[in-house]
């Protein structure tokens, strides 16, 4: 944990049995996302859902809204506007694998003193980035950035037939300090937003493929 507090990020495999193995039913939730309405241009490279919730230590979830806001200084592309997305599927919010992931994040941060409450306001981002032979998939179209929230976890879910998608971590002087290519289900990067910037490289189809995708689940703590 000292690494997270000192460096501003921590990369974990979560292969210690704390997270249930992936299964097709869980991965299938990403097949029912909707086009991000804020992506401009003919190539709609991102699909997503979002819910703002209150999470209680007993795993009870209270849905609040599906409106997401970032200040302009944190997101030069989409900041300063209240973006409204389709809400997360209720079945996902009660899925045992999702409950494992959110409990892991909550208990991890609670154990190490980054949060102290038995309940917490969280944002759940379910995102798929798409690419075709003609168009790259821009995972972070806003570029190198901060999210503007205290801390968050990026959980890798799945990918198919792509190259790229490398997460890059920068210090507050924008010096590159780490590159991470998430590949395993549940693999996670915890980020302390005040200490680092981050961005993800574009994705392209593998040679011989005409399309591909990358799926992640981001859990933000407000």
């Amino acid at each position: 944990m000292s690494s997270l507090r000192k460096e501003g990020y921590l990369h974990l495999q979560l292969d210690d049995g704390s997270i249930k193995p992936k299964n097709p039913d869980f991965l299938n939730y990403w097949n029912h996302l909707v086009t991000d309405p804020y992506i401009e241009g003919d190539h709609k490279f991102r699909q997503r859902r979002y819910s703002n919730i209150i999470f209680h230590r007993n795993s009870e979830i209270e849905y609040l809204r599906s409106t997401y806001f970032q200040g302009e200084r944190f997101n030069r592309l989409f900041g300063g506007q209240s973006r409204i997305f389709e809400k997360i599927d209720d079945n996902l919010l009660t899925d045992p694998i999702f409950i494992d992931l959110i409990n892991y994040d909550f208990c991890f941060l609670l154990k190490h003193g980054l949060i102290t409450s038995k309940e917490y306001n969280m944002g759940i981002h379910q995102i798929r980035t798409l690419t075709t032979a003609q168009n790259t998939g821009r995972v972070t179209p806003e570029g190198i950035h901060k999210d503007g929230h205290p801390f968050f976890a990026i959980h890798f879910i799945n990918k198919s037939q792509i190259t790229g998608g490398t997460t890059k971590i920068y210090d507050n002087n924008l010096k590159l300090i780490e590159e991470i290519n998430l590949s395993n289900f549940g693999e996670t990067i915890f980020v302390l937003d005040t200490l680092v910037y981050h961005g993800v490289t574009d994705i392209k189809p593998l040679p011989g493929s005409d399309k591909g995708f990358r799926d992640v689940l981001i859990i933000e703590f407000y």
Side-chain angles (χ1 to χ4, degrees):
M1 188 60 189
S2 59
S3 174
L4 177 57
R5 288 185 178 277
K6 181 180 178 180
E7 305 295 338
Y9 72 98
L10 187 62
H11 175 211
L12 299 172
Q13 288 289 341
L14 300 196
D15 56 0
D16 58 0
S18 58
I19 305 300
K20 293 179 177 64
K22 68 178 179 181
N23 64 53
D25 289 340
F26 188 76
L27 300 183
N28 191 49
Y29 289 116
W30 275 258
N31 293 328
H32 299 285
L33 302 185
V34 295
T35 299
D36 185 332
Y38 301 93
I39 299 298
E40 297 182 350
D42 294 334
H43 176 46
K44 305 300 183 182
F45 55 83
R46 186 159 68 191
Q47 299 174 339
R48 72 189 300 167
R49 290 179 182 268
Y50 167 79
S51 287
N52 179 203
I53 66 169
I54 298 292
F55 177 76
H56 302 269
R57 181 69 186 276
N58 61 2
S59 301
E60 179 184 342
I61 290 173
E62 176 187 349
Y63 169 76
L64 296 178
R65 61 187 67 86
S66 292
T67 302
Y68 184 57
F69 181 85
Q70 292 173 290
E72 291 183 60
R73 70 189 184 98
F74 295 112
N75 190 325
R76 62 191 180 207
L77 189 59
F78 302 114
Q81 59 179 315
S82 294
R83 287 180 284 165
I84 302 173
F85 298 106
E86 293 290 328
K87 64 180 290 190
I88 300 288
D89 188 326
D90 290 340
N91 291 323
L92 173 60
L93 295 180
T94 58
D95 188 284
I97 295 178
F98 174 78
I99 296 299
D100 278 353
L101 287 168
I102 197 170
N103 264 316
Y104 185 94
D105 294 352
F106 187 87
C107 293
F108 181 87
L109 297 173
L110 186 67
K111 176 182 177 181
H112 296 287
L114 287 169
I115 61 177
T116 57
S117 175
K118 292 184 178 180
E119 62 182 38
Y120 217 86
N121 190 329
M122 297 181 183
I124 312 300
H125 300 258
Q126 190 186 7
I127 299 173
R128 167 170 285 182
T129 306
L130 302 162
T131 181
T132 67
Q134 294 76 35
N135 297 283
T136 60
R138 301 173 62 198
V139 182
T140 51
E142 60 271 57
I144 301 169
H145 67 287
K146 292 177 179 282
D147 280 9
H149 308 299
F151 25 79
F152 56 92
I154 305 168
H155 297 293
F156 178 79
I157 300 300
N158 196 18
K159 64 181 177 181
S160 176
Q161 301 297 308
I162 62 165
T163 62
T166 300
T167 301
K168 295 189 174 185
I169 307 293
Y170 303 81
D171 66 17
N172 279 336
N173 295 314
L174 295 180
K175 177 183 177 182
L176 178 65
I177 54 179
E178 183 70 274
E179 297 186 48
I180 303 167
N181 200 331
L182 299 172
S183 298
N184 302 313
F185 176 76
E187 192 173 352
T188 296
I189 305 173
F190 283 100
V191 177
L192 298 189
D193 201 60
T194 57
L195 297 185
V196 294
Y197 286 83
H198 67 284
V200 184
T201 63
D202 294 349
I203 61 171
K204 296 180 180 180
L206 287 171
S209 299
D210 60 358
K211 61 182 179 180
F213 65 83
R214 178 182 184 267
D215 295 343
V216 296
L217 177 71
I218 300 174
I219 301 178
E220 291 181 325
F221 289 72
Y222 302 153

